[in-house]
Amino acid sequence: MLRIPVHCITPRRSISGIANTVINTAHVHLTLDTTHATCSKRVDEVKKCVTTDLLLYENFINPTQHETLMKEVDRSFRRTKYQYDHWDGAIRGFRETEKSRWEPENEEIIEIIRTIVFAGEPSSPLTHVLDLAEDGYIAPHVDSVKFTGSTITGLNLLSSAVMRFVHNEDKGIVVDLMLPHMSLYVMKDTVRYEFTHEVLGKDVSYWNRCPVTRQRRVSLLLRNDPMAER
Ligand code: OGA
Ligand code: MN
């Protein structure tokens, strides 16, 4: 299978955050597979849109912050079991909660994410905490436009994972994004609406043909308000 690295067309973007400077390195963490694409014009459009609408900030938090966040996440899940029978089969081997309050040091991280990603736009006050067991996965889906605006961001904790985006109109356009643990990704606009997204299971998690060790993986997800676009 031919995989085209797209780093050559992706400029480096930097954003001045409150605490530090974060640099988008999605170009070295994604592959675009168009082997079975049906329309070269669409492929050209996708090459452009992934450079602006799919971002990855590596080492967004440090190991101490990671540990502090995970302590609070583990406390929230103390009495919750993993579920393997989601009603629409979109997700397996998971537990989830929505948190409105965090310990001050964790709240600070959540606020930095909001500031950097949403830049003052209204976003849900809730953080969706999603815990995938080692054998868990998220099947392809598009987040409901009823509850989520144009931007979704996730902080990837505990384990690396591969996120896959498949074009709604052409299943032959496939983008894989490698999410190292402690990284923050952002999907927005075309990638959010015109592609399904999924988090691959352990057995099918490959990056550049090498298996990715998928263990238990937690994501902290923030979404902007659909009202913001009206
Ligand atoms: C979701 C989802 C992605 C992630 O919960 O809708 O796509 O990174 N999660 O966990
Ligand atoms: Mn989703």
Side-chain angles (χ1 to χ4, degrees):
M1 181 162 38
L2 178 68
R3 286 184 175 271
I4 308 165
V6 295
H7 62 268
C8 44
I9 52 156
T10 311
R12 275 186 165 246
R13 279 162 45 122
S14 68
I15 301 170
S16 295
I18 301 168
N20 49 18
T21 297
V22 288
I23 297 174
N24 170 29
T25 57
H27 56 292
V28 291
H29 288 95
L30 68 80
T31 54
L32 172 62
D33 180 2
T34 58
T35 318
H36 302 292
T38 54
C39 170
S40 62
K41 189 163 165 267
R42 188 181 284 125
V43 169
D44 289 342
E45 284 164 13
V46 166
K47 279 182 186 169
K48 281 195 202 118
C49 80
V50 292
T51 68
T52 55
D53 297 354
L54 191 56
L55 313 174
L56 186 95
Y57 304 123
E58 229 179 319
N59 293 314
F60 188 82
I61 52 170
N62 63 41
T64 311
Q65 293 169 319
H66 181 271
E67 196 179 320
T68 315
L69 276 167
M70 274 314 303
K71 260 196 195 137
E72 188 167 353
V73 166
D74 279 335
R75 261 203 317 275
S76 307
F77 284 128
R78 227 174 10 217
R79 287 185 201 85
T80 321
K81 288 209 166 73
Y82 288 101
Q83 298 177 45
Y84 285 86
D85 54 356
H86 195 251
W87 58 275
D88 64 357
I91 179 165
R92 253 184 84 79
F94 76 106
R95 46 191 188 175
E96 65 185 339
T97 185
E98 291 199 303
K99 270 176 81 68
S100 58
R101 293 167 66 95
W102 290 90
E103 298 290 341
E105 59 269 49
N106 292 334
E107 181 69 40
E108 201 181 336
I109 297 166
I110 301 294
E111 276 314 307
I112 289 172
I113 296 174
R114 282 189 204 287
T115 306
I116 290 174
V117 176
F118 301 123
E121 250 185 66
S123 56
S124 166
L126 300 173
T127 308
H128 178 193
V129 183
L130 185 58
D131 181 345
L132 281 184
E134 186 168 338
D135 60 353
Y137 64 86
I138 304 175
H141 68 282
V142 178
D143 283 25
S144 161
V145 294
K146 241 196 230 168
F147 306 111
T148 302
S150 60
T151 306
I152 300 160
T153 184
L155 187 62
N156 195 56
L157 305 175
L158 282 185
S159 169
S160 298
V162 179
M163 200 159 186
R164 175 165 292 168
F165 302 85
V166 179
H167 200 282
N168 294 335
E169 309 284 322
D170 186 346
K171 306 283 176 237
I173 300 181
V174 181
V175 178
D176 280 354
L177 181 66
M178 167 69 172
L179 305 174
H181 90 294
M182 305 198 298
S183 66
L184 181 82
Y185 70 83
V186 181
M187 65 169 120
K188 55 184 183 176
D189 303 329
T190 49
V191 174
R192 180 259 185 271
Y193 294 113
E194 293 176 21
F195 289 75
T196 56
H197 58 272
E198 61 195 290
V199 175
L200 301 183
K202 186 182 170 73
D203 300 345
V204 290
S205 286
Y206 284 85
W207 173 247
N208 275 334
R209 299 178 193 215
C210 298
V212 171
T213 316
R214 239 299 311 281
Q215 293 156 328
R216 176 188 167 207
R217 179 258 183 185
V218 169
S219 53
L220 306 187
L221 299 155
L222 297 167
R223 297 171 163 95
N224 69 346
D225 191 337
M227 297 300 283
E229 273 114 67
R230 290 192 192 139

